[in-house]
């Protein structure tokens, strides 16, 4: 199938598919006309990488997971190790976002939001700038 069909089947934009080819995540064949020809396996691998990217895995994590998926002698421990590391990163980001939301919530609550020039939000940002 051509890149348009592969895009439709995977939900990935053609530009993304070309990028994945460029970095070696997928290697479609070439027809006599020089156009990419995607096999069912290529499309499956593209969909696999697309789902992994939707979960926030890095391209390198996707590469490692795809290699593991393709290796019938794999050990699931390696995939779990990659996923656990990614989960820790997500949880760390969530924790930092909660801290940001708490701080911003306190600043918003402290700001009168009226015609006066005093503003705890601006004051706090200015104090951070002085650090």
């Amino acid at each position: 199938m051509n890149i348009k069909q592969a895009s439709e089947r995977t939900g990935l934009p053609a530009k993304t598919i070309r990028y994945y080819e460029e970095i070696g995540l997928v290697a479609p064949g070439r027809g006599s006309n020089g156009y990419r020809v995607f096999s069912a396996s290529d499309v499956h691998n593209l969909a696999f990488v697309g789902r992994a990217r939707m979960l926030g895995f890095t391209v390198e994590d996707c590469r490692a997971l795809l290699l593991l998926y393709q290796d019938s002698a794999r050990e699931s421990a390696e995939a779990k190790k990659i996923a656990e590391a990614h989960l820790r990163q997500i949880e760390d980001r969530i924790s930092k976002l909660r801290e940001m939301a708490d701080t911003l919530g306190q600043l918003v609550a402290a700001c009168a939001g009226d015609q006066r020039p005093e503003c705890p939000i601006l004051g706090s940002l200015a104090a951070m700038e002085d650090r």
Side-chain angles (χ1 to χ4, degrees), residues 56-124:
F57 284 100
T58 65
V59 169
E60 288 311 310
D61 284 345
C62 290
R63 184 184 312 280
L65 289 167
L66 187 58
L67 287 172
L68 285 169
Y69 175 72
Q70 294 168 341
D71 180 4
S72 60
R74 68 183 173 260
E75 293 183 9
S76 64
E78 192 61 32
K80 184 174 182 174
K81 179 179 152 187
I82 294 168
E84 285 176 333
H86 183 57
L87 180 59
R88 283 191 301 274
Q89 291 171 347
I90 290 170
E91 289 170 342
D92 184 51
R93 274 188 255 147
I94 290 170
S95 175
K96 288 177 181 171
L97 286 169
R98 282 190 181 121
E99 288 176 22
M100 288 169 50
D102 290 345
T103 299
L104 189 55
Q106 292 168 4
L107 291 172
V108 167
C111 182
D114 56 18
Q115 304 302 323
R116 295 178 295 164
E118 296 81 20
C119 178
I121 298 167
L122 298 174
S124 177

Side-chain angles (χ1 to χ4, degrees), residues 4-67:
K4 181 180 178 189
Q5 294 165 321
S7 175
E8 290 169 353
R9 290 200 181 177
T10 62
L12 296 171
K15 184 176 181 178
T16 300
I17 294 172
R18 284 191 289 275
Y19 171 69
Y20 288 166
E21 178 187 12
E22 182 182 318
I23 63 172
L25 283 177
V26 66
R30 296 283 177 165
S32 59
N33 57 6
Y35 292 161
R36 294 169 182 85
V37 178
F38 292 88
S39 67
S41 177
D42 292 329
V43 170
H44 182 78
N45 290 341
L46 283 167
F48 179 99
V49 171
R51 286 189 297 274
R53 292 292 289 153
M54 286 181 73
L55 288 172
F57 284 100
T58 65
V59 169
E60 288 311 310
D61 284 345
C62 290
R63 184 184 312 280
L65 289 167
L66 187 58
L67 287 172

